[in-house]
Amino acid sequence: MPANGFSQVAVHVNSLRPNHVAHRISGEATALLAYFMYKDSQFTEAVELINQAAVYEPRAPLVHWTTGVLQHYHFQNFEQSCHAYTRAISVSPGFAYPYYSLGVLASDGGDASKAEFLYIRCLALDKNHHYARMNRVIAKDEDSPEVLTEYRRIVQVHPTELYSYRAIA
């Protein structure tokens, strides 16, 4: 070792961090990419990526939530979707999206009170989750003044939300 005390061996910055940090970032980034692939209708690639993400970081809530999204919307496997969303909550109870997604499943299954509970839980974690707010409003009487007020609030927070503009009109 030189007199200055520094080794001359090159060390990559990530080698100084615990391995789980690099894997967690890789897993979450891959899960997010899988979600974008799904949104772009590249379903096969999305499934491959989410499976890869699960290997990198099997406890990342985004991995489980994205798995649930794919099971719900692409495969139409509501039981597996519910299981994945529930796993996401068990891994990270403060992650709002799985509560919203379970609310959608409950609403699709005709359980309006459970959906309402889950949307409220989602909004307690993320007050600006406009999809939870919107779905909660849609479940109510769409002609009531409360609903119109809520649609206007959504448009103020998210001015590009065309669904709300259409509902107000």
Side-chain angles (χ1 to χ4, degrees), residues 80-110:
Q80 286 298 315
S81 179
C82 181
H83 184 64
Y85 294 147
T86 303
R87 275 193 320 254
I89 291 169
S90 70
V91 169
S92 181
F95 184 34
Y97 280 84
Y99 293 99
Y100 163 75
S101 298
L102 283 169
V104 172
L105 280 176
S107 179
D108 291 350

Side-chain angles (χ1 to χ4, degrees), residues 22-71:
H23 282 283
R24 178 163 185 209
I25 292 169
S26 296
E28 290 177 348
T30 304
L32 191 57
L33 180 58
Y35 178 75
F36 291 135
M37 299 293 275
Y38 151 76
K39 293 298 279 183
D40 195 40
S41 300
Q42 297 179 44
F43 303 117
T44 303
E45 295 84 352
V47 170
E48 289 173 10
L49 282 172
I50 203 63
N51 289 336
Q52 185 179 18
V55 170
Y56 286 137
E57 180 53 45
R59 293 193 43 82
L62 193 57
V63 170
H64 298 295
W65 177 74
T66 305
T67 299
V69 169
L70 286 165
Q71 290 293 333

Side-chain angles (χ1 to χ4, degrees), residues 111-156:
D111 192 341
S113 63
K114 185 175 183 179
E116 170 83 1
F117 170 80
L118 289 161
Y119 295 145
I120 289 171
R121 180 69 180 122
C122 174
L123 290 166
L125 295 168
D126 179 1
K127 67 181 179 169
N128 292 319
H129 195 294
H130 73 281
Y131 290 116
R133 189 171 303 286
M134 195 176 333
N135 280 12
R136 187 168 174 238
V137 167
I138 290 169
K140 297 178 181 182
D141 177 16
E142 291 204 30
D143 293 330
S144 75
E146 176 191 0
V147 170
L148 290 175
T149 300
E150 193 58 40
Y151 276 127
R152 287 186 180 102
R153 182 188 177 290
I154 292 167
V155 169
Q156 286 175 345

